[in-house]
Amino acid sequence: MNVSINWLSDMLGRKLDPADAAHRLAMLGAGVEAIEPLHRELSGILVGLVEEVKPHPNADRLTLCRVNAGESTVEVVCGAPNVTAGKKYPYAPEGAALPGGMVLTAKKIRGIVSHGMLCSARELGLGTDHEGIMELDTEAPPGTPLLEALPLEDTRLVLEITANRPDLLGHKGVARELAAVYGLAVKLPAFPKGAPDGKKPRRVERSGSVDGIEVIIEDVEGCPRYIAAVIRGVKVGPSPEWLQARLRGVGARSINNVVDATNYILYELNQPLHAFDLNRLKGGKVVIRRAREGESIVTLDGEKRQLNSQMTAICDAEDPQAIAGIMGGAESEVTQSTTDILLECAYFDPKRIRATRKALKLDTEASYRFERGTDIEAMPDAVRRAVALIRTVAGGEEPDAPVDVYPEPVRPRVVVVRPGRVEQLLGTPIPREEIERYLASVGFAVVPKHDRLHVQVPGWRPDVSREVDLIEEVARLRGYDSFPVEYRPFRPSSVPDDPVERLKDRIRRLLTGFGLHEARTMPLCPAEDGQEQVAVANPISKDHAALRTRILPGLAKAVEHNWSVKQRDIRLFEIGNVFRRVQRDGGLEIEETLHLAAVVTGARMPPHWSDGQTAPDWDLWDIKGMFVESARLVAPEGEAVPEGEGWIWRDRSGRIWGRAGELALDRPAWAASVFGFELAIEVKPRVHRSYVPLPATPAVERDLALVLGEGVSAAQVEAVLREQGGSLLEEFTIFDEYRGLGTGVRSVAWRLRFRAPERTLRDAEVDRMVERILKALKERLGVVRREA
């Protein structure tokens, strides 16, 4: 969106500093992509008064003009036929620079020296007309700098407007934002020698007439509101300089006075308009309906376009004359011969406009605005101002009040704001009066009721529908930089965090502790043979044709990218989803699982000036350590088992959860080996913990040294201990192992702790439990007590 600083200054009644305005808009959420000074290169051009015009003695098509340049009168050779004595024109004296960099000097033309030149609009970069010299309509005396005589010097701000803020697509909306922070009021600038505002539109339900032209809405869904005005007796021609300057300020070209007037309203009020040649509309009707299958229209760009029943068309009694919200038709175009016009001001359904625009592949300034939503309530004011502007620049009369066809009026939205909720969300108290002032400054109507504020949302803010939207407005207008940076007291939620997110946080703490950085890679990869991959229906390229089944290849690409910019020391990890097709009872289904992957290469630690030495590179044992620690955190209980040059993590059931080792990458000669691992993540159910008081009774301990035969594991022994010890066996731990008893035989010593929570155990009772345990061990596993 291009915005003219001069236009904004006129609306606010104050000359704005472009840099300050850009900064304030950026702080309000409307980023400024560029600040572009306009026409500064014309600083050397003056207003010249031609006092005399006579033929050139040596050329039939040239004339000699005596030009009053203020401090001197000079002779200029001119080839344009429209120069007349007594009129003013742009004069470039010797030494002046024209757009493009050409510097003028005194030059002999057909034997006569020309001291400078009279300039056309194209030579000054002010238009495309090169047929004649640009005539100036100004009271400025000769010798006045052109930039002072005409409103040419301007600065253009290029704004980045998000889709939720269509109100900022017009100068009035931008001025409203600046008025709130500058403490000013917005007032639309008066037109020079302007006609009075147009007549107030007459509202009807589904059909009505204006000056004998019937207006009917058949497609209420596609066009909820339509206003038509008739202006008769206009004279189509070039626009006055002030209007052309306004359009140049936003980068638009001048077409004629009627079309320029509609474009002026579009850029000022964000309301697209369209002017029809009234005498070319057949049957005295304007019908807003769905287009019929097979209908076509030749649009203003000369292209023939096929319509369908999903599009809204503006028709006369017979044929479509415009594609609603997109572009008008060539058949009813305003031309130099037009004397009567019908002016359209409408609101069209944004979804319908977007679908039509995409189907026709036709982007226009009007469709850009209608897609985002215009202000349906501001249409009467827009059409009245447009009628006044057209009558100002093109003459004519408005014989009848416009007809306003509005079948189902929209009720204004009212949102309730609680000052307490404002403080809760923003973290700092804001007085209710201050909240009212902020909201009222950008056009919200605020009515206090008890301890709440009832806020009526204006039609130009379709993005505001909830209380939180208004709280965001308060924060935005107060200034995000005004909020304190320190944490304020808050009450934590009683809802526990999601187990997946808690596990991710623990993974991040672990791996960042190893010095790794978290990465985000594309979840897309090239398609491969096999049914396991999930193909993308509409891939953006062959390298992104399927969903990934592993994370490591993406991290490997990140390593190669770092190598391409001469980065040797790389430490990355990623937590993300992988996708694969799996066979289930109902057929192939898509399974999405969470994985963890990491890669390291280069030095273990960054170099430091204090030691003067380079840290050693990562090796296989480093990656094994990270692999085992990560697996203990994210995978079921198991162990790292060697496999080839690396390891796998296998749980007790034999399932493999991940692999670690060296990656085979095509690395530069100066790069180190790359090591990595990838693990599937098991989100374990949350453990519900309960409070257990410290024991109030003493414990009884017994040490058992047991002889385990070949093939008997400690885990098997502990299973018997747990079963036979019952609830009185509180704890058992291994404290010794001895293997000098013979081949395949070892001695393992356990310490057993017995305790009863309500009473003190007696030695005899504990001895009986130990005997029971020894008997079961001998019968089941052949394990006996070691003799001293």
Side-chain angles (χ1 to χ4, degrees):
M1 169 64 185
N2 295 336
V3 174
S4 162
I5 284 291
N6 285 354
W7 206 335
L8 293 176
S9 298
D10 289 346
M11 285 185 167
L12 296 175
R14 165 181 166 178
K15 183 65 177 177
L16 298 180
D17 175 67
D20 183 64
H23 171 73
R24 291 177 182 268
L25 286 172
M27 296 303 292
L28 288 169
V32 179
E33 295 181 339
I35 302 176
E36 302 174 350
L38 302 180
H39 307 309
R40 301 287 169 83
E41 67 276 12
L42 301 182
S43 58
I45 310 301
L46 307 176
V47 174
L49 173 63
V50 175
E51 297 180 339
E52 181 184 6
V53 179
K54 58 183 179 180
H56 193 292
N58 303 321
D60 294 339
R61 297 186 178 181
L62 300 179
T63 57
L64 298 179
C65 303
R66 189 170 76 247
V67 179
N68 180 353
E71 296 182 354
S72 62
T73 301
V74 296
E75 192 169 50
V76 176
V77 177
C78 181
N82 69 319
V83 177
T84 305
K87 293 190 175 181
K88 297 173 183 176
Y89 304 91
Y91 167 64
E94 297 175 45
L98 294 178
M102 185 179 73
V103 179
L104 296 180
T105 59
K107 185 177 181 181
K108 186 177 288 188
I109 301 176
R110 291 294 184 94
I112 304 239
V113 176
S114 179
H115 299 276
M117 65 180 288
L118 299 176
C119 304
S120 68
R122 192 170 76 175
E123 289 164 337
L124 297 176
L126 301 178
T128 59
D129 185 13
H130 191 57
E131 297 300 320
I133 302 301
M134 179 179 175
E135 186 176 327
L136 301 179
D137 182 15
T138 176
E139 301 295 330
T144 303
L146 185 66
L147 294 180
E148 295 180 12
L150 299 180
L152 295 177
E153 188 173 12
D154 196 359
T155 301
R156 180 187 300 156
L157 302 182
V158 182
L159 304 186
E160 182 183 6
I161 306 301
T162 54
N164 66 320
R165 291 300 305 274
D167 57 305
L168 299 183
L169 295 175
H171 280 72
K172 185 177 181 181
V174 178
R176 189 186 297 115
E177 296 282 296
L178 290 174
V181 295
Y182 284 129
L184 304 173
V186 179
K187 184 178 180 181
L188 298 180
F191 303 134
K193 304 176 183 178
D197 283 349
K199 298 177 181 179
K200 183 178 180 180
R202 294 176 289 102
R203 182 177 295 184
V204 297
E205 287 191 1
R206 284 186 174 269
S207 65
S209 63
V210 51
D211 197 29
I213 305 299
E214 189 176 5
V215 180
I216 305 169
I217 296 181
E218 295 181 358
D219 182 12
V220 177
E221 180 185 357
C223 179
R225 190 175 192 180
Y226 191 97
I227 301 178
V230 171
I231 308 174
R232 297 188 182 273
V234 300
K235 184 178 180 181
V236 179
S239 294
E241 175 55 33
W242 70 267
L243 180 53
Q244 294 188 41
R246 283 286 196 237
L247 298 181
R248 282 196 301 268
V250 297
R253 66 185 182 91
S254 175
I255 298 174
N256 61 52
N257 48 9
V258 173
V259 176
D260 289 356
T262 61
N263 286 337
Y264 179 99
I265 299 300
L266 178 141
Y267 291 114
E268 183 180 69
L269 303 179
N270 188 37
Q271 176 59 60
L273 305 171
H274 184 66
F276 297 91
D277 186 328
L278 184 59
N279 295 321
R280 298 186 179 187
L281 297 179
K282 298 180 285 291
K285 282 186 178 182
V286 173
V287 183
I288 301 91
R289 59 170 173 83
R290 284 180 180 263
R292 302 186 180 100
E293 295 292 340
E295 280 188 320
S296 63
I297 182 175
V298 178
T299 47
L300 291 172
D301 57 1
E303 296 290 330
K304 184 176 182 180
R305 304 184 186 275
Q306 294 295 323
L307 308 181
N308 61 52
S309 60
Q310 300 304 311
M311 302 174 181
T312 301
I314 312 301
C315 310
D316 57 18
E318 300 177 11
D319 304 307
Q321 294 297 327
I323 306 171
I326 309 288
M327 185 178 284
E331 184 179 347
S332 55
E333 178 183 7
V334 172
T335 63
Q336 295 292 326
S337 61
T338 299
T339 57
D340 303 331
I341 63 172
L342 183 137
L343 182 65
E344 167 194 282
C345 178
Y347 180 92
F348 298 112
D349 177 52
K351 293 180 181 178
R352 183 81 61 84
I353 297 302
R354 183 173 186 271
T356 302
R357 187 261 302 169
K358 291 184 68 175
L360 298 176
K361 299 179 181 179
L362 182 60
D363 293 308
T364 63
E365 290 284 353
S367 68
Y368 185 80
R369 286 162 170 78
F370 280 127
E371 278 187 45
R372 286 154 178 78
T374 57
D375 185 1
I376 195 171
E377 295 303 319
M379 289 170 52
D381 293 335
V383 77
R384 294 181 68 187
R385 185 163 173 82
V387 169
L389 179 55
I390 291 174
R391 292 182 61 196
T392 297
V393 299
E397 296 295 332
E398 184 183 19
D400 193 7
V403 61
D404 179 2
V405 186
Y406 198 5
E408 300 172 3
V410 177
R411 296 183 62 182
R413 297 189 304 278
V414 175
V415 179
V416 176
V417 177
R418 296 163 291 172
R421 182 61 174 162
V422 175
E423 178 180 351
Q424 184 182 27
L425 282 186
L426 301 185
T428 188
I430 301 178
R432 190 173 75 169
E433 296 75 15
E434 193 173 340
I435 297 173
E436 292 182 45
R437 178 165 54 82
Y438 286 139
L439 296 177
S441 68
V442 287
F444 293 93
V446 184
V447 178
K449 289 187 178 180
H450 306 296
D451 60 339
R452 302 185 176 195
L453 300 175
H454 290 242
V455 181
Q456 182 173 312
V457 180
W460 63 76
R461 291 301 301 272
D463 59 308
V464 176
S465 59
R466 303 169 299 167
E467 181 183 30
V468 70
D469 298 328
L470 291 172
I471 296 174
E472 182 183 5
E473 286 296 295
V474 173
R476 187 175 66 88
L477 294 166
R478 192 174 195 263
Y480 294 114
D481 55 345
S482 68
F483 290 95
V485 296
E486 69 273 8
Y487 285 119
R488 297 303 176 96
F490 67 96
R491 181 180 64 83
S493 171
S494 61
V495 179
D497 292 338
D498 179 54
V500 175
E501 297 305 319
R502 295 176 65 183
L503 179 58
K504 287 181 180 179
D505 288 341
R506 294 172 64 192
I507 295 170
R508 292 185 179 105
R509 285 196 295 271
L510 173 69
L511 293 179
T512 53
F514 282 121
L516 274 63
H517 303 284
E518 187 170 8
R520 285 282 186 272
T521 61
M522 285 281 285
L524 302 173
C525 63
E528 299 173 357
D529 294 334
Q531 293 185 339
E532 191 178 65
Q533 260 192 342
V534 180
V536 176
N538 186 23
I540 57 177
S541 71
K542 65 179 182 180
D543 292 331
H544 304 90
L547 295 174
R548 65 186 177 189
T549 56
R550 294 191 304 141
I551 298 178
L552 264 183
L555 290 178
K557 286 186 177 181
V559 170
E560 292 171 343
H561 174 73
N562 278 271
W563 282 342
S564 71
V565 291
K566 302 296 183 182
Q567 292 296 318
R568 183 178 184 274
D569 303 334
I570 305 161
R571 307 179 298 277
L572 302 173
F573 76 94
E574 180 175 2
I575 307 167
N577 291 323
V578 299
F579 310 84
R580 55 172 50 90
R581 293 186 184 276
V582 294
Q583 187 69 42
R584 297 277 169 77
D585 294 339
L588 285 175
E589 295 182 2
I590 297 176
E591 180 182 74
E592 180 177 351
T593 55
L594 193 63
H595 275 213
L596 164 66
V599 290
V600 293
T601 181
R604 285 194 187 104
M605 292 181 292
H608 195 267
W609 61 269
S610 62
D611 53 24
Q613 297 180 355
T614 303
D617 288 342
W618 296 96
D619 58 28
L620 265 175
W621 301 105
D622 293 316
I623 200 66
K624 181 189 178 183
M626 281 189 280
F627 177 59
V628 171
E629 290 296 323
S630 301
R632 288 172 177 167
L633 186 61
V634 306
E637 186 177 352
E639 58 183 344
V641 180
E643 182 188 65
E645 297 296 324
W647 295 268
I648 61 174
W649 184 264
R650 188 166 57 199
D651 66 13
R652 298 196 182 280
S653 69
R655 177 182 171 184
I656 296 174
W657 287 79
R659 286 178 166 82
E662 183 175 354
L663 305 184
L665 298 184
D666 185 14
R667 57 189 174 92
W670 48 264
S673 298
V674 183
F675 305 96
F677 70 82
E678 182 161 354
L679 281 161
I681 296 177
E682 179 189 54
V683 181
K684 300 173 184 177
R686 186 177 175 219
V687 178
H688 295 277
R689 304 185 185 276
S690 56
Y691 169 73
V692 177
L694 292 174
T697 57
V700 179
E701 293 185 349
R702 294 286 188 270
D703 290 346
L704 287 182
L706 303 176
V707 179
L708 278 64
E710 187 175 3
V712 178
S713 67
Q716 292 174 299
V717 173
E718 290 181 350
V720 176
L721 293 176
R722 192 177 293 108
E723 176 189 337
Q724 296 299 321
S727 61
L728 296 180
L729 180 58
E730 182 181 79
E731 184 182 23
F732 52 83
T733 56
I734 295 175
F735 67 90
D736 185 46
E737 182 183 27
Y738 177 65
R739 292 182 178 267
L741 300 178
T743 304
V745 181
R746 57 182 174 145
S747 171
V748 181
W750 274 269
R751 178 161 292 150
L752 283 60
R753 177 179 294 170
F754 298 90
R755 191 193 309 268
E758 298 88 8
R759 61 187 175 86
T760 300
L761 292 175
R762 297 182 179 274
D763 288 340
E765 189 178 1
V766 174
D767 291 341
R768 287 194 297 271
M769 283 189 284
V770 171
E771 291 300 326
R772 187 170 67 243
I773 290 171
L774 290 172
K775 182 180 180 181
L777 287 171
K778 184 176 181 179
E779 292 175 352
R780 297 183 189 182
L781 303 175
V783 173
V784 296
R785 191 170 193 171
R786 178 184 171 189
E787 299 296 335

